Amino acid sequence: MRTAATELLGIEHPLIGFSRSPGVVAAVSRAGGLGVLGATAYTPEQLDAQLTWITEQVDGKPFGVDVLIPAKSVPGDPSNLIASLRAQIPEAHVKFVDELLAKYEIPTDTGKALFTDDLLSGLAGSGAEALLEVAFRHPLALIANALGPAPEAMLKLGREHGVPIAALVGSPKHAQQQLERGVDLLIAQGTEAGGHTGTIATMVLTPEIVELAGETPVLAAGGVASGAQMAAALALGAAGVWCGSVWLRSEEDITPREIKEKFLAADSGSTLRSPTRTGKPARQLRSAWHDAWESPGAPPPLPMPLQPLLVNDAWNRIDAAAEVGHPGALELESFFIGQVVGRFRQLEPAYDIATGIVRDCEARLREVAALVTP
Amino acid sequence: MRTAATELLGIEHPLIGFSRSPGVVAAVSRAGGLGVLGATAYTPEQLDAQLTWITEQVDGKPFGVDVLIPAKSVPGDPSNLIASLRAQIPEAHVKFVDELLAKYEIPTDTGKALFTDDLLSGLAGSGAEALLEVAFRHPLALIANALGPAPEAMLKLGREHGVPIAALVGSPKHAQQQLERGVDLLIAQGTEAGGHTGTIATMVLTPEIVELAGETPVLAAGGVASGAQMAAALALGAAGVWCGSVWLRSEEDITPREIKEKFLAADSGSTLRSPTRTGKPARQLRSAWHDAWESPGAPPPLPMPLQPLLVNDAWNRIDAAAEVGHPGALELESFFIGQVVGRFRQLEPAYDIATGIVRDCEARLREVAALVTP
């Protein structure tokens, strides 16, 4: 299938696979799509090592990187910044999280280094640009910004290296802003998607963004995890699809097995949009965590970046305890996932998932073509 | 286009148009789709007259009826029932609604008869079966129940008259219940739809319901108002589409012009799912009404049928005042509508909307077919 997106990205199939797992990224690119590494959780050194590894795996095939960089970075020493942010968190919020973890008897000592502040320093200041500089040392086919307007540094580096720049959007207004900044590819992400997402469904959002975007290609994201859904996205006018959640049922995905098992047991109504992890509404699996934040007397979630500063250590403790089968941690355990989780049946290699989606999409397009060709 | 739905319903195009406006129903059927009249707001006598009129308009082409009947009807005298329900409404709720209307200076005397209790008696008891009996005196091609399991009386009359029975579902669980009752057609309605709706998006829900339904045809509903969206629904595996919101931009729709003008000005993010009109979450245009119900100190909405008993007179007053351009009423004014409202640009005849959707769907299917046929 040739579309404006396959031409722009130099790929065989208009299937773009976003994942924080390098093994998934390499597999999607090897399958003829484009793997895109979510770099947010990496330090610059880690990102460098992962991109080197991916380059070795894909045999010259293209891949991309997705970062999460604020449009305006905050100047100054990241450690001072974080201390000043921490001081803004109300005591009642800290107490609520402490009591919630105590109620579920989550151990304090996880035996693992916690990486909250490293990660947040990447978000908050010069760390973000360091990630970008590392990324552009590798042969990228795409750089994407996951949230908010594409930052100047990304636009500049993209232009210098001839790398197309993509942006995720959840509304026509955001699409218009990104088009004005000159991005090369828009990803229209519907409310059914995992992670940060708006309220407008893919079925409605995609044709609106396609109409706005004119010559700029649009990928559809949210609700796309099968060949039929990829075919539907193309019928909506998308030049391809951006899939994220589906890789969480791949063998290569680095998400702990305990979370993957919760995903396999979930149905399509088991998710919710909640700001209780990042401070912005993000779709995730509903768990006892969300029930607690919705219970009477719970404090309102704080804005980004205060809410992650408040809860990230808690999540490190929950994840670590869940990994050793702690019952309370398994009740609280959750992760970002879209509504497509309802059809997760078993784990498979990411390469097989990618080739299966493309094969089934082509078959479905032939079926619907028969409706109009006598 | 021939699908399992066109065969079942005896229609030319797999486009089913739901509307409370008889003029829309007749136009969709004349265009080769199936118009389905939403009968809930009619008395049995009114329904009889409207179905007689539609039969005269469609020149033998098929049409259907949609009712909203509780699975268990409540025995006894409807007027006693309503009095006992009214007694369950807390005083604080009555006060909240009174103060809200006073704040926006909504006149008490509308100069129109209010029909709340007539309408609710239809919902509550024998009135519902009277509607059904009237409906089956006419040459129906489909009878649908909009909410909850298909009631016994509908199943029985449908079988006797050889009329296919359809049910709207918003989750796999509800679909399973309807299949067990033996319905002939499922309508998978995504969260982006107007009116009563669940949380799962059409892109995700449709293939799940298609898989569950086996040989039973499935229509996709929610987010379908254009040829591209109809093509996407067919790609998802639906045997056709069920469109409701799109007719609210038709000239024949009976919704007051003031509401239609709010729709033409809205964007796809202007709706919300709210239980503040019917007691169950229903998608509608956001207005000052919803802001008030979300403000600090507002009471929680009551369950169905108490919430409509609480607010229906208020809505009659708001609608009547909005019709004569009352500024406060125009701020509060709203109606049930899906996210597709964002692309409403101008009013058109319903016949032109229907034929345009079919024509554009066929064109889009030919375009995507070209992706897989060299």
Side-chain angles (χ1 to χ4, degrees):
Chain A
M1 285 178 281
R2 287 178 63 148
T3 71
T6 61
E7 300 303 291
L8 178 71
L9 303 170
I11 53 178
E12 197 181 344
H13 311 299
L15 171 71
I16 288 78
F18 164 80
S19 173
R20 59 183 185 141
S21 306
V24 171
V25 173
V28 174
S29 288
R30 280 191 289 109
L34 186 82
V36 175
L37 184 68
T40 310
Y42 293 113
T43 63
E45 294 70 29
Q46 289 167 335
L47 180 62
D48 198 36
Q50 299 299 359
L51 293 179
T52 299
W53 182 86
I54 291 169
T55 306
E56 289 163 7
Q57 302 299 310
V58 296
D59 197 23
K61 291 201 170 175
F63 61 89
V65 167
D66 178 284
V67 293
L68 194 156
I69 298 180
K72 291 176 194 162
S73 68
V74 184
D77 177 356
S79 60
N80 283 351
L81 173 66
I82 287 170
S84 97
L85 289 171
R86 281 203 186 280
Q88 296 173 41
I89 297 177
E91 192 47 48
H93 282 74
V94 175
K95 186 161 171 274
F96 174 80
V97 173
D98 287 347
E99 287 177 356
L100 177 59
L101 269 61
K103 180 182 166 192
Y104 285 88
E105 300 176 351
I106 306 301
T108 312
D109 181 7
T110 63
K112 286 194 174 191
L114 304 183
F115 60 102
T116 308
D117 288 1
D118 269 5
L119 196 152
L120 282 157
S121 71
L123 277 180
S126 54
E129 293 192 13
L131 277 182
L132 270 186
E133 277 165 30
V134 163
F136 277 101
R137 273 187 238 140
H138 298 266
L140 300 187
L142 183 75
I143 184 109
N145 193 33
L147 197 70
E152 281 303 329
M154 180 185 285
L155 292 166
K156 185 166 167 289
L157 283 163
R159 296 286 167 257
E160 279 173 21
H161 291 79
V163 175
I165 295 158
L168 274 87
V169 296
S171 71
K173 185 181 140 201
H174 290 155
Q176 195 58 52
Q177 289 168 351
Q178 298 285 6
L179 289 167
E180 283 162 14
R181 290 184 82 76
V183 301
D184 305 294
L185 182 69
L186 284 175
I187 302 147
Q189 181 174 270
T191 188
E192 54 268 68
H196 291 119
T197 186
T199 59
I200 307 168
T202 299
M203 196 84 167
V204 173
L205 185 67
T206 306
E208 287 196 332
I209 304 299
V210 168
E211 186 182 318
L212 264 178
E215 297 294 304
T216 305
V218 176
L219 305 179
V224 185
S226 72
Q229 287 159 332
M230 180 172 174
L234 296 171
L236 290 171
V241 294
W242 172 278
C243 304
S245 296
V246 69
W247 315 112
L248 289 156
R249 73 171 186 83
S250 75
E251 290 170 359
E252 292 89 339
D253 185 276
I254 59 174
T255 305
R257 166 156 286 276
E258 294 66 32
I259 299 180
K260 285 182 170 176
E261 280 171 8
K262 283 191 109 169
F263 288 162
L264 292 174
D267 64 41
S268 51
S270 304
T271 73
L272 82 168
R273 275 175 83 237
S274 167
T276 59
R277 285 193 74 155
T278 69
K280 284 183 186 284
R283 189 171 297 284
Q284 50 206 276
L285 194 71
R286 179 182 272 281
S287 78
W289 169 269
H290 307 95
D291 298 342
W293 281 91
E294 288 172 6
S295 65
L302 300 170
M304 186 182 271
L306 298 183
Q307 185 74 8
L309 270 172
L310 171 67
V311 305
N312 277 7
D313 278 352
W315 275 102
N316 288 327
R317 286 168 57 190
I318 294 166
D319 288 346
E323 272 194 62
V324 293
H326 184 286
L330 291 174
E331 280 189 74
L332 291 170
E333 188 56 282
S334 169
F335 195 63
F336 304 106
I337 190 83
Q339 293 184 337
V340 295
V341 72
R343 297 189 98 197
F344 285 14
R345 296 283 177 270
Q346 62 195 33
L347 301 187
E348 270 187 274
Y351 183 91
D352 294 357
I353 295 173
T355 53
I357 292 172
V358 171
R359 181 192 61 231
D360 294 348
C361 172
E362 290 175 342
R364 183 54 62 96
L365 289 178
R366 286 192 186 94
E367 280 171 44
V368 292
L371 291 172
V372 284
T373 47
Chain B
M1 285 179 277
R2 288 178 62 147
T3 71
T6 61
E7 299 304 292
L8 177 72
L9 302 170
I11 52 178
E12 197 182 343
H13 311 299
L15 171 71
I16 288 77
F18 165 79
S19 173
R20 60 181 185 142
S21 306
V24 171
V25 173
V28 175
S29 289
R30 280 191 288 109
L34 186 82
V36 175
L37 184 69
T40 310
Y42 293 113
T43 63
E45 294 70 29
Q46 289 168 336
L47 180 62
D48 198 37
Q50 298 299 358
L51 293 179
T52 299
W53 182 85
I54 291 170
T55 306
E56 289 164 7
Q57 301 299 309
V58 295
D59 196 24
K61 293 200 170 175
F63 61 89
V65 167
D66 178 283
V67 293
L68 194 155
I69 298 180
K72 293 174 194 162
S73 68
V74 184
D77 177 355
S79 60
N80 283 350
L81 173 66
I82 287 171
S84 97
L85 289 171
R86 281 203 185 280
Q88 297 173 41
I89 297 177
E91 192 48 46
H93 282 73
V94 176
K95 186 160 170 274
F96 174 80
V97 173
D98 286 348
E99 287 177 356
L100 177 58
L101 269 62
K103 180 181 167 194
Y104 285 88
E105 300 177 350
I106 306 301
T108 312
D109 180 7
T110 63
K112 286 194 175 190
L114 303 183
F115 62 102
T116 309
D117 288 0
D118 268 5
L119 197 153
L120 282 156
S121 71
L123 277 180
S126 55
E129 292 192 12
L131 276 183
L132 270 186
E133 277 166 31
V134 163
F136 277 101
R137 274 188 237 141
H138 298 267
L140 299 188
L142 183 75
I143 185 109
N145 193 32
L147 195 70
E152 280 305 330
M154 180 185 284
L155 292 166
K156 184 166 167 289
L157 283 164
R159 297 284 168 259
E160 279 172 22
H161 291 79
V163 175
I165 295 158
L168 274 88
V169 297
S171 72
K173 185 181 143 204
H174 290 154
Q176 194 58 52
Q177 290 168 349
Q178 298 283 7
L179 289 166
E180 283 161 14
R181 290 185 82 77
V183 301
D184 305 295
L185 180 69
L186 284 175
I187 302 148
Q189 181 175 270
T191 188
E192 53 269 66
H196 291 119
T197 186
T199 59
I200 308 168
T202 299
M203 196 85 168
V204 173
L205 184 67
T206 307
E208 287 195 334
I209 304 301
V210 168
E211 186 181 318
L212 265 178
E215 296 295 303
T216 305
V218 175
L219 305 179
V224 185
S226 72
Q229 287 159 333
M230 180 171 174
L234 297 170
L236 290 171
V241 294
W242 171 278
C243 305
S245 295
V246 70
W247 316 113
L248 289 157
R249 73 170 187 84
S250 74
E251 290 170 0
E252 292 89 341
D253 186 275
I254 58 175
T255 305
R257 166 156 286 276
E258 294 66 32
I259 299 180
K260 284 181 170 176
E261 279 171 9
K262 283 191 107 169
F263 288 162
L264 292 174
D267 64 42
S268 51
S270 303
T271 73
L272 82 169
R273 274 175 84 238
S274 167
T276 58
R277 285 193 74 156
T278 69
K280 284 183 184 283
R283 189 170 297 282
Q284 51 206 273
L285 193 71
R286 179 183 273 282
S287 77
W289 170 268
H290 307 96
D291 299 341
W293 280 91
E294 289 173 5
S295 64
L302 300 170
M304 186 183 272
L306 298 183
Q307 186 74 9
L309 270 172
L310 171 67
V311 305
N312 276 8
D313 278 352
W315 275 103
N316 287 327
R317 286 169 56 190
I318 293 167
D319 289 346
E323 273 194 61
V324 293
H326 184 285
L330 291 173
E331 279 189 74
L332 292 169
E333 188 56 282
S334 170
F335 195 63
F336 304 107
I337 190 83
Q339 292 183 338
V340 295
V341 72
R343 295 187 100 197
F344 285 14
R345 296 283 178 271
Q346 62 195 35
L347 302 187
E348 271 187 274
Y351 183 91
D352 294 355
I353 295 174
T355 52
I357 291 173
V358 170
R359 181 191 62 230
D360 294 348
C361 172
E362 291 175 343
R364 182 55 60 96
L365 289 177
R366 287 193 186 94
E367 280 173 42
V368 292
L371 291 173
V372 284
T373 47

